[in-house]
Amino acid sequence: MSSIVDALYELKYHPFEYGPYLASFYTAMDESENNLLLAPLVIPLCSHPIFGKKILGAVFGNKKQSSIWSIFDDRTKLYDLQERVDAFQTLTEQCIQYCLINDWLSVNEKKLSLGVCDGFDSNFTSQKVSEKLGRLFSGHSVVEIYAFLGVKPR
């Protein structure tokens, strides 16, 4: 019975599906030091039933602009985020490898960051929810984001 559950899980959650989420996140994110450490948050937040919709509804304009405080205003709903981060860790690693192989992202070892490859050609379907998450996280430090969300990197 567990093999059926595992097979269904792998059909739904695989790097070919979620690789573009990471690529879209890092194309919208300002390149900063240690931004590689934000990768484990992308899939759990973007696929979250409540916060995925809230992130998608984020507004970025001159008169009104969403922030991490307005999107994640009810932090009691983040109670399962640490478990989701831990559960999606392997998938996140596979997605990073998939993005690197396809030349969507590159690693800057000195800054411990991911960024868009030189000569970037968007041959993936851009994911709006992860782009908006990247814009929300831009301008904030990795430590600040993890502390605000109440999650510990592993």
Side-chain angles (χ1 to χ4, degrees):
M1 183 63 137
S2 67
S3 63
I4 293 172
V5 173
D6 292 341
L8 289 173
Y9 176 84
E10 288 188 27
L11 278 173
K12 181 168 173 79
Y13 298 105
H14 54 83
F16 307 113
E17 177 73 25
Y18 284 95
Y21 281 78
L22 281 176
S24 297
F25 175 78
Y26 283 105
T27 56
M29 176 94 184
D30 294 338
E31 190 170 333
S32 61
E33 285 192 25
N34 302 324
N35 76 1
L36 176 64
L37 299 173
L38 295 175
L41 298 173
V42 176
I43 298 170
L45 286 173
C46 291
S47 66
H48 194 279
I50 297 168
F51 289 110
K53 291 176 185 169
K54 286 188 83 169
I55 293 167
L56 199 55
V59 177
F60 299 99
N62 292 333
K63 293 183 180 180
K64 184 177 179 185
Q65 196 161 22
S66 297
S67 69
I68 59 174
W69 294 276
S70 65
I71 297 297
F72 303 108
D73 57 348
D74 187 2
R75 293 188 3 202
T76 59
K77 294 179 181 172
L78 290 169
Y79 70 92
D80 66 338
L81 185 57
Q82 183 70 56
E83 293 171 8
R84 291 175 64 83
V85 168
D86 295 341
F88 287 120
Q89 185 64 37
T90 303
L91 177 62
T92 300
E93 292 167 4
Q94 291 171 345
C95 288
I96 291 171
Q97 291 172 0
Y98 183 65
C99 290
L100 293 172
I101 288 169
N102 285 306
D103 292 329
W104 296 340
L105 299 175
S106 63
V107 178
N108 183 335
E109 296 91 9
K110 292 179 184 174
K111 288 186 174 181
L112 190 61
S113 65
L114 285 172
V116 178
C117 280
D118 294 334
F120 175 71
D121 182 23
S122 177
N123 56 356
F124 63 88
T125 305
S126 180
Q127 301 296 321
K128 290 290 183 197
V129 66
S130 53
E131 282 181 5
K132 288 188 175 189
L133 183 64
R135 291 182 72 186
L136 282 172
F137 284 176
S138 291
H140 298 285
S141 72
V142 173
V143 174
E144 182 182 11
I145 292 167
Y146 272 97
F148 179 78
L149 295 174
V151 179
K152 296 179 183 176
R154 299 187 199 246

